[in-house]
PDB file of all heavy atoms in Angstrom:
ATOM      1  N   GLN I  57     -15.392   5.723  46.322  1.00  0.00           N
ATOM      2  CA  GLN I  57     -14.856   5.009  47.481  1.00  0.00           C
ATOM      3  C   GLN I  57     -15.959   4.751  48.497  1.00  0.00           C
ATOM      4  O   GLN I  57     -16.644   5.687  48.928  1.00  0.00           O
ATOM      5  CB  GLN I  57     -13.742   5.832  48.126  1.00  0.00           C
ATOM      6  CG  GLN I  57     -13.021   5.064  49.220  1.00  0.00           C
ATOM      7  CD  GLN I  57     -11.835   5.847  49.729  1.00  0.00           C
ATOM      8  OE1 GLN I  57     -12.002   6.919  50.305  1.00  0.00           O
ATOM      9  NE2 GLN I  57     -10.642   5.320  49.499  1.00  0.00           N
ATOM     10  N   TYR I  58     -16.150   3.520  48.856  1.00  0.00           N
ATOM     11  CA  TYR I  58     -17.161   3.132  49.836  1.00  0.00           C
ATOM     12  C   TYR I  58     -16.459   2.648  51.098  1.00  0.00           C
ATOM     13  O   TYR I  58     -15.564   1.817  51.051  1.00  0.00           O
ATOM     14  CB  TYR I  58     -18.062   2.026  49.267  1.00  0.00           C
ATOM     15  CG  TYR I  58     -18.971   2.540  48.172  1.00  0.00           C
ATOM     16  CD1 TYR I  58     -18.505   2.702  46.876  1.00  0.00           C
ATOM     17  CD2 TYR I  58     -20.290   2.902  48.456  1.00  0.00           C
ATOM     18  CE1 TYR I  58     -19.321   3.205  45.883  1.00  0.00           C
ATOM     19  CE2 TYR I  58     -21.123   3.399  47.470  1.00  0.00           C
ATOM     20  CZ  TYR I  58     -20.630   3.549  46.186  1.00  0.00           C
ATOM     21  OH  TYR I  58     -21.452   4.050  45.207  1.00  0.00           O
ATOM     22  N   SER I  59     -16.893   3.196  52.231  1.00  0.00           N
ATOM     23  CA  SER I  59     -16.264   2.829  53.514  1.00  0.00           C
ATOM     24  C   SER I  59     -17.331   2.412  54.516  1.00  0.00           C
ATOM     25  O   SER I  59     -18.451   2.930  54.505  1.00  0.00           O
ATOM     26  CB  SER I  59     -15.489   4.007  54.095  1.00  0.00           C
ATOM     27  OG  SER I  59     -14.729   4.630  53.093  1.00  0.00           O
ATOM     28  N   CYS I  60     -16.951   1.476  55.362  1.00  0.00           N
ATOM     29  CA  CYS I  60     -17.894   0.960  56.354  1.00  0.00           C
ATOM     30  C   CYS I  60     -17.309   1.167  57.765  1.00  0.00           C
ATOM     31  O   CYS I  60     -16.182   0.745  58.031  1.00  0.00           O
ATOM     32  CB  CYS I  60     -18.118  -0.527  56.100  1.00  0.00           C
ATOM     33  SG  CYS I  60     -19.149  -1.322  57.332  1.00  0.00           S
ATOM     34  N   TYR I  61     -18.056   1.847  58.608  1.00  0.00           N
ATOM     35  CA  TYR I  61     -17.574   2.136  59.962  1.00  0.00           C
ATOM     36  C   TYR I  61     -18.431   1.441  60.998  1.00  0.00           C
ATOM     37  O   TYR I  61     -19.652   1.404  60.873  1.00  0.00           O
ATOM     38  CB  TYR I  61     -17.611   3.642  60.238  1.00  0.00           C
ATOM     39  CG  TYR I  61     -16.745   4.447  59.281  1.00  0.00           C
ATOM     40  CD1 TYR I  61     -17.276   4.950  58.099  1.00  0.00           C
ATOM     41  CD2 TYR I  61     -15.405   4.709  59.573  1.00  0.00           C
ATOM     42  CE1 TYR I  61     -16.498   5.683  57.215  1.00  0.00           C
ATOM     43  CE2 TYR I  61     -14.624   5.439  58.703  1.00  0.00           C
ATOM     44  CZ  TYR I  61     -15.171   5.926  57.519  1.00  0.00           C
ATOM     45  OH  TYR I  61     -14.400   6.651  56.656  1.00  0.00           O
ATOM     46  N   GLU I  62     -17.779   0.913  61.999  1.00  0.00           N
ATOM     47  CA  GLU I  62     -18.534   0.308  63.096  1.00  0.00           C
ATOM     48  C   GLU I  62     -19.362   1.389  63.788  1.00  0.00           C
ATOM     49  O   GLU I  62     -18.857   2.498  64.014  1.00  0.00           O
ATOM     50  CB  GLU I  62     -17.580  -0.333  64.103  1.00  0.00           C
ATOM     51  CG  GLU I  62     -18.329  -1.141  65.144  1.00  0.00           C
ATOM     52  CD  GLU I  62     -17.388  -1.781  66.132  1.00  0.00           C
ATOM     53  OE1 GLU I  62     -16.183  -1.420  66.120  1.00  0.00           O
ATOM     54  OE2 GLU I  62     -17.840  -2.607  66.912  1.00  0.00           O
ATOM     55  N   GLY I  63     -20.581   1.007  64.125  1.00  0.00           N
ATOM     56  CA  GLY I  63     -21.590   1.936  64.636  1.00  0.00           C
ATOM     57  C   GLY I  63     -21.109   2.980  65.628  1.00  0.00           C
ATOM     58  O   GLY I  63     -20.988   4.162  65.316  1.00  0.00           O
ATOM     59  N   SER I  64     -20.762   2.547  66.841  1.00  0.00           N
ATOM     60  CA  SER I  64     -20.468   3.523  67.894  1.00  0.00           C
ATOM     61  C   SER I  64     -19.013   3.963  67.902  1.00  0.00           C
ATOM     62  O   SER I  64     -18.695   5.129  68.089  1.00  0.00           O
ATOM     63  CB  SER I  64     -20.846   2.920  69.261  1.00  0.00           C
ATOM     64  OG  SER I  64     -20.371   1.576  69.300  1.00  0.00           O
ATOM     65  N   SER I  65     -18.084   3.032  67.674  1.00  0.00           N
ATOM     66  CA  SER I  65     -16.668   3.373  67.803  1.00  0.00           C
ATOM     67  C   SER I  65     -16.124   4.115  66.584  1.00  0.00           C
ATOM     68  O   SER I  65     -15.069   4.744  66.645  1.00  0.00           O
ATOM     69  CB  SER I  65     -15.832   2.102  67.977  1.00  0.00           C
ATOM     70  OG  SER I  65     -15.947   1.294  66.809  1.00  0.00           O
ATOM     71  N   TRP I  66     -16.890   4.072  65.527  1.00  0.00           N
ATOM     72  CA  TRP I  66     -16.497   4.715  64.269  1.00  0.00           C
ATOM     73  C   TRP I  66     -15.145   4.214  63.784  1.00  0.00           C
ATOM     74  O   TRP I  66     -14.375   4.932  63.180  1.00  0.00           O
ATOM     75  CB  TRP I  66     -16.471   6.247  64.487  1.00  0.00           C
ATOM     76  CG  TRP I  66     -16.779   6.988  63.210  1.00  0.00           C
ATOM     77  CD1 TRP I  66     -15.945   7.734  62.500  1.00  0.00           C
ATOM     78  CD2 TRP I  66     -18.035   7.019  62.530  1.00  0.00           C
ATOM     79  NE1 TRP I  66     -16.564   8.258  61.401  1.00  0.00           N
ATOM     80  CE2 TRP I  66     -17.867   7.809  61.375  1.00  0.00           C
ATOM     81  CE3 TRP I  66     -19.291   6.453  62.772  1.00  0.00           C
ATOM     82  CZ2 TRP I  66     -18.909   8.060  60.488  1.00  0.00           C
ATOM     83  CZ3 TRP I  66     -20.310   6.704  61.874  1.00  0.00           C
ATOM     84  CH2 TRP I  66     -20.123   7.493  60.754  1.00  0.00           C
ATOM     85  N   HIS I  67     -14.889   2.931  64.050  1.00  0.00           N
ATOM     86  CA  HIS I  67     -13.685   2.339  63.477  1.00  0.00           C
ATOM     87  C   HIS I  67     -13.939   1.987  62.025  1.00  0.00           C
ATOM     88  O   HIS I  67     -15.020   1.494  61.677  1.00  0.00           O
ATOM     89  CB  HIS I  67     -13.323   1.036  64.207  1.00  0.00           C
ATOM     90  CG  HIS I  67     -12.592   1.275  65.490  1.00  0.00           C
ATOM     91  ND1 HIS I  67     -12.793   0.492  66.608  1.00  0.00           N
ATOM     92  CD2 HIS I  67     -11.673   2.199  65.834  1.00  0.00           C
ATOM     93  CE1 HIS I  67     -12.025   0.936  67.583  1.00  0.00           C
ATOM     94  NE2 HIS I  67     -11.347   1.981  67.143  1.00  0.00           N
ATOM     95  N   LEU I  68     -12.953   2.186  61.203  1.00  0.00           N
ATOM     96  CA  LEU I  68     -13.073   1.822  59.795  1.00  0.00           C
ATOM     97  C   LEU I  68     -12.895   0.309  59.693  1.00  0.00           C
ATOM     98  O   LEU I  68     -11.850  -0.225  60.059  1.00  0.00           O
ATOM     99  CB  LEU I  68     -12.003   2.542  58.970  1.00  0.00           C
ATOM    100  CG  LEU I  68     -11.978   2.171  57.479  1.00  0.00           C
ATOM    101  CD1 LEU I  68     -13.268   2.606  56.803  1.00  0.00           C
ATOM    102  CD2 LEU I  68     -10.788   2.828  56.800  1.00  0.00           C
ATOM    103  N   LYS I  69     -13.945  -0.358  59.250  1.00  0.00           N
ATOM    104  CA  LYS I  69     -13.886  -1.816  59.184  1.00  0.00           C
ATOM    105  C   LYS I  69     -13.603  -2.350  57.798  1.00  0.00           C
ATOM    106  O   LYS I  69     -13.120  -3.447  57.615  1.00  0.00           O
ATOM    107  CB  LYS I  69     -15.233  -2.395  59.685  1.00  0.00           C
ATOM    108  CG  LYS I  69     -15.402  -2.317  61.175  1.00  0.00           C
ATOM    109  CD  LYS I  69     -14.371  -3.197  61.837  1.00  0.00           C
ATOM    110  CE  LYS I  69     -14.463  -3.094  63.357  1.00  0.00           C
ATOM    111  NZ  LYS I  69     -13.396  -3.887  63.978  1.00  0.00           N
ATOM    112  N   TYR I  70     -13.990  -1.579  56.821  1.00  0.00           N
ATOM    113  CA  TYR I  70     -13.843  -2.061  55.441  1.00  0.00           C
ATOM    114  C   TYR I  70     -13.872  -0.869  54.498  1.00  0.00           C
ATOM    115  O   TYR I  70     -14.575   0.102  54.726  1.00  0.00           O
ATOM    116  CB  TYR I  70     -14.991  -3.036  55.123  1.00  0.00           C
ATOM    117  CG  TYR I  70     -14.958  -3.582  53.710  1.00  0.00           C
ATOM    118  CD1 TYR I  70     -14.035  -4.564  53.341  1.00  0.00           C
ATOM    119  CD2 TYR I  70     -15.854  -3.112  52.758  1.00  0.00           C
ATOM    120  CE1 TYR I  70     -14.014  -5.052  52.045  1.00  0.00           C
ATOM    121  CE2 TYR I  70     -15.823  -3.613  51.451  1.00  0.00           C
ATOM    122  CZ  TYR I  70     -14.914  -4.578  51.114  1.00  0.00           C
ATOM    123  OH  TYR I  70     -14.884  -5.074  49.835  1.00  0.00           O
ATOM    124  N   GLN I  71     -13.082  -0.970  53.450  1.00  0.00           N
ATOM    125  CA  GLN I  71     -13.078   0.105  52.450  1.00  0.00           C
ATOM    126  C   GLN I  71     -12.856  -0.523  51.080  1.00  0.00           C
ATOM    127  O   GLN I  71     -12.010  -1.427  50.915  1.00  0.00           O
ATOM    128  CB  GLN I  71     -11.960   1.080  52.766  1.00  0.00           C
ATOM    129  CG  GLN I  71     -12.105   2.408  52.056  1.00  0.00           C
ATOM    130  CD  GLN I  71     -11.149   3.430  52.646  1.00  0.00           C
ATOM    131  OE1 GLN I  71      -9.940   3.257  52.566  1.00  0.00           O
ATOM    132  NE2 GLN I  71     -11.688   4.468  53.244  1.00  0.00           N
ATOM    133  N   THR I  72     -13.594  -0.051  50.143  1.00  0.00           N
ATOM    134  CA  THR I  72     -13.399  -0.557  48.785  1.00  0.00           C
ATOM    135  C   THR I  72     -13.607   0.561  47.780  1.00  0.00           C
ATOM    136  O   THR I  72     -14.319   1.522  48.048  1.00  0.00           O
ATOM    137  CB  THR I  72     -14.336  -1.733  48.461  1.00  0.00           C
ATOM    138  OG1 THR I  72     -13.987  -2.260  47.167  1.00  0.00           O
ATOM    139  CG2 THR I  72     -15.787  -1.296  48.415  1.00  0.00           C
ATOM    140  N   TYR I  73     -12.950   0.429  46.672  1.00  0.00           N
ATOM    141  CA  TYR I  73     -13.134   1.409  45.604  1.00  0.00           C
ATOM    142  C   TYR I  73     -13.974   0.732  44.532  1.00  0.00           C
ATOM    143  O   TYR I  73     -13.559  -0.259  43.940  1.00  0.00           O
ATOM    144  CB  TYR I  73     -11.766   1.820  45.048  1.00  0.00           C
ATOM    145  CG  TYR I  73     -11.828   3.159  44.376  1.00  0.00           C
ATOM    146  CD1 TYR I  73     -11.654   4.336  45.104  1.00  0.00           C
ATOM    147  CD2 TYR I  73     -12.092   3.260  43.019  1.00  0.00           C
ATOM    148  CE1 TYR I  73     -11.736   5.574  44.494  1.00  0.00           C
ATOM    149  CE2 TYR I  73     -12.180   4.493  42.413  1.00  0.00           C
ATOM    150  CZ  TYR I  73     -12.006   5.650  43.149  1.00  0.00           C
ATOM    151  OH  TYR I  73     -12.096   6.865  42.548  1.00  0.00           O
ATOM    152  N   LEU I  74     -15.171   1.263  44.314  1.00  0.00           N
ATOM    153  CA  LEU I  74     -16.065   0.665  43.318  1.00  0.00           C
ATOM    154  C   LEU I  74     -15.856   1.338  41.970  1.00  0.00           C
ATOM    155  O   LEU I  74     -15.913   2.551  41.859  1.00  0.00           O
ATOM    156  CB  LEU I  74     -17.537   0.823  43.757  1.00  0.00           C
ATOM    157  CG  LEU I  74     -18.569   0.312  42.732  1.00  0.00           C
ATOM    158  CD1 LEU I  74     -18.509  -1.207  42.608  1.00  0.00           C
ATOM    159  CD2 LEU I  74     -19.980   0.738  43.119  1.00  0.00           C
ATOM    160  N   ARG I  75     -15.582   0.511  40.956  1.00  0.00           N
ATOM    161  CA  ARG I  75     -15.468   1.043  39.608  1.00  0.00           C
ATOM    162  C   ARG I  75     -16.551   0.379  38.768  1.00  0.00           C
ATOM    163  O   ARG I  75     -16.566  -0.839  38.610  1.00  0.00           O
ATOM    164  CB  ARG I  75     -14.089   0.722  39.004  1.00  0.00           C
ATOM    165  CG  ARG I  75     -12.910   1.298  39.759  1.00  0.00           C
ATOM    166  CD  ARG I  75     -12.737   2.784  39.532  1.00  0.00           C
ATOM    167  NE  ARG I  75     -12.506   3.133  38.144  1.00  0.00           N
ATOM    168  CZ  ARG I  75     -11.316   3.260  37.566  1.00  0.00           C
ATOM    169  NH1 ARG I  75     -10.225   3.037  38.269  1.00  0.00           N
ATOM    170  NH2 ARG I  75     -11.213   3.598  36.319  1.00  0.00           N
ATOM    171  N   VAL I  76     -17.464   1.186  38.279  1.00  0.00           N
ATOM    172  CA  VAL I  76     -18.539   0.654  37.441  1.00  0.00           C
ATOM    173  C   VAL I  76     -18.122   0.788  35.976  1.00  0.00           C
ATOM    174  O   VAL I  76     -17.673   1.860  35.546  1.00  0.00           O
ATOM    175  CB  VAL I  76     -19.863   1.419  37.690  1.00  0.00           C
ATOM    176  CG1 VAL I  76     -20.966   0.836  36.820  1.00  0.00           C
ATOM    177  CG2 VAL I  76     -20.248   1.330  39.166  1.00  0.00           C
ATOM    178  N   GLY I  77     -18.309  -0.284  35.233  1.00  0.00           N
ATOM    179  CA  GLY I  77     -17.896  -0.220  33.827  1.00  0.00           C
ATOM    180  C   GLY I  77     -18.569  -1.302  33.012  1.00  0.00           C
ATOM    181  O   GLY I  77     -19.582  -1.884  33.440  1.00  0.00           O
ATOM    182  N   THR I  78     -18.027  -1.560  31.846  1.00  0.00           N
ATOM    183  CA  THR I  78     -18.583  -2.593  30.972  1.00  0.00           C
ATOM    184  C   THR I  78     -17.484  -3.511  30.499  1.00  0.00           C
ATOM    185  O   THR I  78     -16.315  -3.103  30.438  1.00  0.00           O
ATOM    186  CB  THR I  78     -19.253  -1.985  29.730  1.00  0.00           C
ATOM    187  OG1 THR I  78     -18.267  -1.260  28.995  1.00  0.00           O
ATOM    188  CG2 THR I  78     -20.406  -1.067  30.084  1.00  0.00           C
ATOM    189  N   PRO I  79     -17.817  -4.749  30.164  1.00  0.00           N
ATOM    190  CA  PRO I  79     -16.805  -5.597  29.529  1.00  0.00           C
ATOM    191  C   PRO I  79     -16.501  -5.043  28.141  1.00  0.00           C
ATOM    192  O   PRO I  79     -17.334  -4.328  27.571  1.00  0.00           O
ATOM    193  CB  PRO I  79     -17.488  -6.964  29.437  1.00  0.00           C
ATOM    194  CG  PRO I  79     -18.941  -6.700  29.551  1.00  0.00           C
ATOM    195  CD  PRO I  79     -19.118  -5.422  30.309  1.00  0.00           C
ATOM    196  N   PRO I  80     -15.337  -5.342  27.592  1.00  0.00           N
ATOM    197  CA  PRO I  80     -14.977  -4.748  26.308  1.00  0.00           C
ATOM    198  C   PRO I  80     -15.802  -5.344  25.165  1.00  0.00           C
ATOM    199  O   PRO I  80     -16.146  -6.524  25.182  1.00  0.00           O
ATOM    200  CB  PRO I  80     -13.501  -5.091  26.152  1.00  0.00           C
ATOM    201  CG  PRO I  80     -13.250  -6.228  27.051  1.00  0.00           C
ATOM    202  CD  PRO I  80     -14.279  -6.194  28.129  1.00  0.00           C
ATOM    203  N   LYS I  81     -16.112  -4.476  24.201  1.00  0.00           N
ATOM    204  CA  LYS I  81     -16.735  -4.958  22.969  1.00  0.00           C
ATOM    205  C   LYS I  81     -15.612  -5.250  21.984  1.00  0.00           C
ATOM    206  O   LYS I  81     -14.460  -4.899  22.207  1.00  0.00           O
ATOM    207  CB  LYS I  81     -17.661  -3.879  22.397  1.00  0.00           C
ATOM    208  CG  LYS I  81     -18.887  -3.592  23.250  1.00  0.00           C
ATOM    209  CD  LYS I  81     -20.122  -3.462  22.372  1.00  0.00           C
ATOM    210  CE  LYS I  81     -21.367  -3.223  23.184  1.00  0.00           C
ATOM    211  NZ  LYS I  81     -21.539  -1.804  23.569  1.00  0.00           N
ATOM    212  N   GLU I  82     -15.964  -5.865  20.857  1.00  0.00           N
ATOM    213  CA  GLU I  82     -14.948  -6.236  19.870  1.00  0.00           C
ATOM    214  C   GLU I  82     -14.136  -5.019  19.451  1.00  0.00           C
ATOM    215  O   GLU I  82     -14.682  -4.030  18.979  1.00  0.00           O
ATOM    216  CB  GLU I  82     -15.616  -6.851  18.642  1.00  0.00           C
ATOM    217  CG  GLU I  82     -14.611  -7.430  17.662  1.00  0.00           C
ATOM    218  CD  GLU I  82     -15.273  -8.116  16.487  1.00  0.00           C
ATOM    219  OE1 GLU I  82     -16.426  -8.543  16.631  1.00  0.00           O
ATOM    220  OE2 GLU I  82     -14.633  -8.204  15.430  1.00  0.00           O
ATOM    221  N   PRO I  83     -12.817  -5.085  19.636  1.00  0.00           N
ATOM    222  CA  PRO I  83     -11.983  -3.924  19.312  1.00  0.00           C
ATOM    223  C   PRO I  83     -11.874  -3.722  17.800  1.00  0.00           C
ATOM    224  O   PRO I  83     -12.128  -4.634  17.018  1.00  0.00           O
ATOM    225  CB  PRO I  83     -10.613  -4.295  19.900  1.00  0.00           C
ATOM    226  CG  PRO I  83     -10.606  -5.775  19.960  1.00  0.00           C
ATOM    227  CD  PRO I  83     -12.022  -6.223  20.136  1.00  0.00           C
ATOM    228  N   VAL I  84     -11.505  -2.506  17.428  1.00  0.00           N
ATOM    229  CA  VAL I  84     -11.293  -2.177  16.022  1.00  0.00           C
ATOM    230  C   VAL I  84      -9.797  -2.236  15.766  1.00  0.00           C
ATOM    231  O   VAL I  84      -9.022  -1.546  16.428  1.00  0.00           O
ATOM    232  CB  VAL I  84     -11.838  -0.767  15.708  1.00  0.00           C
ATOM    233  CG1 VAL I  84     -11.527  -0.390  14.277  1.00  0.00           C
ATOM    234  CG2 VAL I  84     -13.337  -0.726  15.962  1.00  0.00           C
ATOM    235  N   LEU I  85      -9.407  -3.063  14.812  1.00  0.00           N
ATOM    236  CA  LEU I  85      -7.986  -3.267  14.544  1.00  0.00           C
ATOM    237  C   LEU I  85      -7.669  -2.893  13.106  1.00  0.00           C
ATOM    238  O   LEU I  85      -8.437  -3.208  12.194  1.00  0.00           O
ATOM    239  CB  LEU I  85      -7.642  -4.753  14.777  1.00  0.00           C
ATOM    240  CG  LEU I  85      -6.225  -5.230  14.446  1.00  0.00           C
ATOM    241  CD1 LEU I  85      -5.209  -4.563  15.363  1.00  0.00           C
ATOM    242  CD2 LEU I  85      -6.150  -6.739  14.580  1.00  0.00           C
ATOM    243  N   MET I  86      -6.550  -2.221  12.923  1.00  0.00           N
ATOM    244  CA  MET I  86      -6.141  -1.839  11.577  1.00  0.00           C
ATOM    245  C   MET I  86      -4.648  -2.075  11.426  1.00  0.00           C
ATOM    246  O   MET I  86      -3.883  -1.743  12.328  1.00  0.00           O
ATOM    247  CB  MET I  86      -6.486  -0.362  11.374  1.00  0.00           C
ATOM    248  CG  MET I  86      -6.096   0.212  10.026  1.00  0.00           C
ATOM    249  SD  MET I  86      -4.441   0.879   9.966  1.00  0.00           S
ATOM    250  CE  MET I  86      -4.623   2.430  10.788  1.00  0.00           C
ATOM    251  N   CYS I  87      -4.234  -2.678  10.317  1.00  0.00           N
ATOM    252  CA  CYS I  87      -2.810  -2.872  10.062  1.00  0.00           C
ATOM    253  C   CYS I  87      -2.470  -2.263   8.714  1.00  0.00           C
ATOM    254  O   CYS I  87      -3.255  -2.354   7.765  1.00  0.00           O
ATOM    255  CB  CYS I  87      -2.446  -4.354  10.045  1.00  0.00           C
ATOM    256  SG  CYS I  87      -2.675  -5.160  11.637  1.00  0.00           S
ATOM    257  N   ARG I  88      -1.315  -1.678   8.637  1.00  0.00           N
ATOM    258  CA  ARG I  88      -0.958  -0.949   7.433  1.00  0.00           C
ATOM    259  C   ARG I  88       0.545  -0.867   7.268  1.00  0.00           C
ATOM    260  O   ARG I  88       1.290  -0.772   8.248  1.00  0.00           O
ATOM    261  CB  ARG I  88      -1.545   0.446   7.572  1.00  0.00           C
ATOM    262  CG  ARG I  88      -1.303   1.320   6.405  1.00  0.00           C
ATOM    263  CD  ARG I  88      -1.970   2.653   6.625  1.00  0.00           C
ATOM    264  NE  ARG I  88      -1.207   3.657   5.934  1.00  0.00           N
ATOM    265  CZ  ARG I  88      -0.969   4.880   6.371  1.00  0.00           C
ATOM    266  NH1 ARG I  88      -1.450   5.242   7.538  1.00  0.00           N
ATOM    267  NH2 ARG I  88      -0.261   5.706   5.680  1.00  0.00           N
TER     268      ARG I  88
END
Side-chain angles (χ1 to χ4, degrees):
Chain I
Q57 188 174 65
Y58 290 81
S59 315
C60 175
Y61 300 91
E62 188 180 11
S64 44
S65 63
W66 209 248
H67 279 143
L68 176 65
K69 285 295 177 184
Y70 179 75
Q71 196 167 63
T72 186
Y73 203 87
L74 176 69
R75 299 284 300 268
V76 181
T78 61
K81 293 223 178 82
E82 188 176 336
V84 176
L85 175 65
M86 179 271 283
C87 295
R88 181 178 150 218

